[in-house]
Amino acid sequence: MLKSFFNWRVLLNLILAAGVFVGLVYLTFRWLEIHTHHGDELQVPNVVNKSVHDAVKILDDSGLEYEVDSFKYDPRYRPFQVLQIYPAPGSRVKNGRSVTLKVNPRSWAPVSVPDVINKYSGLGFQRLDQVGLKVGDTIYEPSIQKDAILRILFKGSTIKPGTKIPRFSIIDVVIGSGPMRNIGIPNVVGLTVKEAKAVIARNLFEIGVIDYEDGGRDDNDIVYYQDPASGDIRDQGMQIDLWASKKTPAELMDKINELNSTYRMKVDTTLPPVRYEEVSSFQDTAPIETAPVADPPRRETPKNDATKPKTSTPANDKPKAKKVIV
């Protein structure tokens, strides 16, 4: 068997197989060198601090691919300025290699406006500050929701919660200052329910109960009665009840008179006016009779008699001095 292994034919086949294997390996690596541009390298140009448009043009001319990544906004640099490049400038990469550009965006990343509508202003301001929004003007508007946030304005326009605006944007906030007092009730009799609702809302009142005569809910029905009556004085936010029908108010006079007897107080002006007198808070007691008190006797003061001679003290009546023995 060993003799047959050294047969020249077997050796020739082994040599041919080895040659084919070496050839395949060589061709494979050669193909890889051509396909991957082995040994064909390019230098990464320095495009830092250039605008992204200029940087892209330079990379295209150099035969390099690129990817643009919006870096964190930094107000110290220009918008769309290249802040970094990877690989670093001066590095050698293969032709067609993709490099990454870190670019300063136009402004801060957008954030969603939080839902602070109808919330207490103190808590609302904290929530706005947490997401990076700055409150500019605080506008107070009459509302029954005192100290509550009614609307949010951005560049003069009302925005809804969830709207995305740049971070650190300045917004204006409308806050309720409390209800207005002593507002005249508007007259909505003769209007459709739809028109009456608009008038009532425009005058800062609320819609109360709406009684439809036919039981339907057609806003095209005509209002034939309202309570409170037009001209009455109420505070903002008070409700106005409506009675509506497809008939005209002239056709519903009996119904109107019935409602007047219920909701309108009649004042009898034929009665004399009532006079009110002030009554003291305590009752005066009868005076107590007391016996007359005699006047005390007067003491007469003696008068100096000018005619009475004055007595003089004799000279020899002086007090004697006392002797002191030491």
Side-chain angles (χ1 to χ4, degrees), residues 154-169:
F154 179 60
K155 295 183 179 180
S157 301
T158 302
I159 57 176
K160 297 181 179 180
T163 304
K164 290 187 175 295
I165 59 177
R167 191 179 182 185
F168 300 118
S169 296

Side-chain angles (χ1 to χ4, degrees), residues 230-271:
S230 62
D232 287 355
I233 303 299
R234 295 290 188 276
D235 293 341
Q236 177 185 356
M238 294 295 293
Q239 291 186 347
I240 300 178
D241 298 335
L242 304 176
W243 284 258
S245 173
K246 298 187 181 301
K247 301 177 184 178
T248 63
E251 297 173 333
L252 298 167
M253 288 305 300
D254 294 340
K255 182 65 175 179
I256 293 174
N257 292 332
E258 181 182 348
L259 292 172
N260 280 333
S261 63
T262 303
Y263 295 98
R264 303 288 187 264
M265 181 182 296
K266 294 183 179 180
V267 179
D268 191 355
T269 59
T270 61
L271 296 177

Side-chain angles (χ1 to χ4, degrees), residues 7-314:
N7 190 338
W8 64 273
R9 293 181 179 177
V10 175
L11 293 175
L12 179 61
N13 291 333
L14 290 175
I15 293 172
L16 291 175
V20 171
F21 176 76
V22 172
L24 290 175
V25 171
Y26 173 79
L27 292 176
T28 300
F29 279 99
R30 183 59 181 169
W31 176 83
L32 289 174
E33 289 180 359
I34 297 174
H35 183 71
T36 59
H37 303 282
H38 182 69
D40 187 9
E41 296 181 343
L42 299 174
Q43 187 176 4
V44 177
N46 186 6
V47 293
V48 177
N49 295 329
K50 296 184 180 296
S51 68
V52 64
H53 304 288
D54 295 340
V56 167
K57 186 176 184 304
I58 293 173
L59 293 175
D60 285 337
D61 294 341
S62 300
L64 293 173
E65 302 293 334
Y66 57 85
E67 295 178 357
V68 179
D69 183 13
S70 294
F71 203 58
K72 181 180 178 181
Y73 177 72
D74 193 335
R76 297 175 300 176
Y77 301 102
R78 302 187 311 272
F80 305 119
Q81 179 179 349
V82 178
L83 303 181
Q84 295 178 8
I85 183 173
Y86 180 81
S91 302
R92 302 193 66 84
V93 296
K94 295 179 181 180
N95 187 14
R97 168 70 184 274
S98 178
V99 298
T100 303
L101 300 176
K102 299 286 187 179
V103 179
N104 192 37
R106 181 188 297 271
S107 61
W108 296 99
V111 296
S112 297
V113 177
D115 187 5
V116 295
I117 304 300
N118 299 327
K119 301 294 191 302
Y120 175 64
S121 58
L123 298 176
F125 285 172
Q126 293 180 4
R127 187 72 185 93
L128 292 171
D129 185 67
Q130 289 175 356
V131 300
L133 297 178
K134 303 299 181 182
V135 177
D137 293 337
T138 302
I139 305 169
Y140 288 91
E141 181 178 286
S143 173
I144 58 176
Q145 295 177 299
K146 187 176 181 180
D147 295 331
I149 296 178
L150 305 179
R151 294 189 306 279
I152 296 177
L153 305 178
F154 179 60
K155 295 183 179 180
S157 301
T158 302
I159 57 176
K160 297 181 179 180
T163 304
K164 290 187 175 295
I165 59 177
R167 191 179 182 185
F168 300 118
S169 296
I170 298 177
I171 58 175
D172 301 328
V173 179
V174 181
I175 300 177
S177 61
M180 292 181 64
R181 306 293 182 181
N182 302 326
I183 307 176
I185 300 290
N187 184 14
V188 296
V189 174
L191 302 178
T192 63
V193 174
K194 182 178 180 180
E195 294 171 342
K197 288 180 179 179
V199 172
I200 291 173
R202 191 163 54 246
N203 285 270
L204 307 180
F205 292 105
E206 299 291 336
I207 303 295
V209 177
I210 303 178
D211 187 324
Y212 295 90
E213 186 195 22
D214 58 0
R217 300 185 63 86
D218 189 358
D219 283 352
N220 291 321
D221 287 2
I222 304 298
V223 177
Y224 66 89
Y225 196 82
Q226 69 178 79
D227 183 66
S230 62
D232 287 355
I233 303 299
R234 295 290 188 276
D235 293 341
Q236 177 185 356
M238 294 295 293
Q239 291 186 347
I240 300 178
D241 298 335
L242 304 176
W243 284 258
S245 173
K246 298 187 181 301
K247 301 177 184 178
T248 63
E251 297 173 333
L252 298 167
M253 288 305 300
D254 294 340
K255 182 65 175 179
I256 293 174
N257 292 332
E258 181 182 348
L259 292 172
N260 280 333
S261 63
T262 303
Y263 295 98
R264 303 288 187 264
M265 181 182 296
K266 294 183 179 180
V267 179
D268 191 355
T269 59
T270 61
L271 296 177
V274 180
R275 297 181 61 185
Y276 298 93
E277 297 181 358
E278 294 184 359
V279 179
S280 59
S281 60
F282 62 90
Q283 185 177 1
D284 295 338
T285 58
I288 302 174
E289 295 183 358
T290 57
V293 180
D295 295 336
R298 296 181 179 180
R299 180 179 296 180
E300 295 182 357
T301 304
K303 298 181 181 180
N304 294 330
D305 192 0
T307 59
K308 186 177 181 180
K310 297 180 179 179
T311 59
S312 60
T313 304

